[in-house]
Amino acid sequence: GDSVVQTEGQVLPSEGDSLIVNCSYETTQYPSLFWYVQYPGEGPQLHLKAMKANDKGRNKGFEAMYRKETTSFHLEKDSVQESDSAVYFCAPGGVTGGFKTIFGAGTRLFVKA
Amino acid sequence: GAVVSQHPSRVICKSGTSVKIECRSLDFQATTMFWYRQFPKQSLMLMATSNEGSKATYEQGVEKDKFLINHASLTLSTLTVTSAHPEDSSFYICSARSMSDTQYFGPGTRLTVL
């Protein structure tokens, strides 16, 4: 079946550190790829997306490259800020034809001031 | 970006009562909406897929008679938790899929059953 694995648990960089949150997926169809961000008590928000191979999603200094050859969509940022602290979900899915988006377990980012 | 609303944002009810949660896509039409449940510090668990004008498709292990879903229009889906019990207490989140296949989420509804 379809699956997605992302960096587990909590990541604790200091402000100004670089960040990589890994995401690898296995799907039976060719997916679009999404990162969602969730703040406490709120629903997830679309953070960035890439619709096909070699596309790069960008938002607020974050980037993720759609790498079909390695089935990965790692989330990266050169210099994190305290305000980036949230839970991030990697989510392959959403192709036409009813493929359901699947969500990773979530990575809790806590940026230390 | 596309906006999805949920109402109510928070509800407390007594055991045995039913609760209805509304999900609306405010600025786009959504033939497909989804309902998720989220436990503290966990990922989203898909409960069902709601298609406009047809019956919802439930995920394995989700009781369709317990969680009634109606998708009466292209902008509205409702989830009714029937005869709620304390174990139904959770954070319920809906999403709507746009024409570009992107899912946009509502702000969530926190249900507490006493």
Side-chain angles (χ1 to χ4, degrees):
Chain A
D2 300 323
S3 65
V4 56
V5 177
Q6 65 179 97
T7 300
E8 284 188 23
Q10 193 162 251
V11 179
L12 299 164
S14 296
E15 207 164 36
D17 286 351
S18 63
L19 172 75
I20 297 179
V21 180
N22 291 327
C23 172
S24 297
Y25 64 92
E26 275 189 38
T27 56
T28 53
Q29 298 185 47
Y30 181 29
S32 301
L33 298 175
F34 305 86
W35 277 98
Y36 285 89
V37 59
Q38 188 176 27
Y39 299 97
E42 299 181 11
Q45 302 171 22
L46 178 63
H47 188 49
L48 54 81
K49 65 181 179 181
M51 307 307 279
K52 62 183 188 300
N54 301 319
D55 277 358
K56 182 179 279 190
R58 294 184 177 89
N59 185 30
K60 296 181 181 177
F62 287 87
E63 292 185 346
M65 172 72 85
Y66 191 141
R67 299 192 186 278
K68 186 181 178 185
E69 66 278 9
T70 55
T71 61
S72 64
F73 192 52
H74 305 319
L75 182 67
E76 301 182 35
K77 188 171 186 180
D78 286 340
S79 176
V80 293
Q81 301 168 6
E82 203 175 346
S83 57
D84 294 328
S85 298
V87 179
Y88 293 81
F89 293 97
C90 182
V95 297
T96 307
F99 176 50
K100 287 179 283 194
T101 302
I102 54 173
F103 287 85
T107 303
R108 188 172 299 273
L109 175 64
F110 184 80
V111 181
K112 295 174 286 185
Chain B
V3 179
V4 175
S5 71
Q6 264 183 259
H7 179 79
S9 58
R10 199 176 282 269
V11 58
I12 300 172
C13 68
K14 292 182 180 179
S15 190
T17 60
S18 295
V19 174
K20 181 187 280 189
I21 303 170
E22 291 188 351
C23 176
R24 292 180 187 274
S25 56
L26 298 185
D27 51 2
F28 66 103
Q29 293 184 331
T31 54
T32 304
M33 291 183 170
F34 302 89
W35 287 96
Y36 294 85
R37 186 172 179 177
Q38 187 178 35
F39 292 102
K41 298 189 177 181
Q42 293 191 23
S43 189
L44 289 78
M45 183 189 79
L46 180 64
M47 299 174 65
T49 302
S50 170
N51 296 299
E52 187 266 336
S54 64
K55 290 184 179 179
T57 304
Y58 290 81
E59 295 300 301
Q60 195 170 12
V62 178
E63 299 175 60
K64 60 182 180 182
D65 295 331
K66 173 80 171 170
F67 299 99
L68 300 178
I69 290 171
N70 183 272
H71 194 155
S73 76
L74 288 171
T75 59
L76 174 65
S77 175
T78 60
L79 167 69
T80 301
V81 183
T82 62
S83 187
H85 290 283
E87 58 266 28
D88 299 323
S89 299
S90 193
F91 192 50
Y92 292 87
I93 310 170
C94 73
S95 72
R97 186 159 69 192
S98 71
M99 294 295 289
S100 65
D101 271 339
T102 301
Q103 279 186 247
Y104 295 94
F105 285 84
T109 298
R110 181 153 310 279
L111 170 64
T112 303
V113 184
L114 302 176

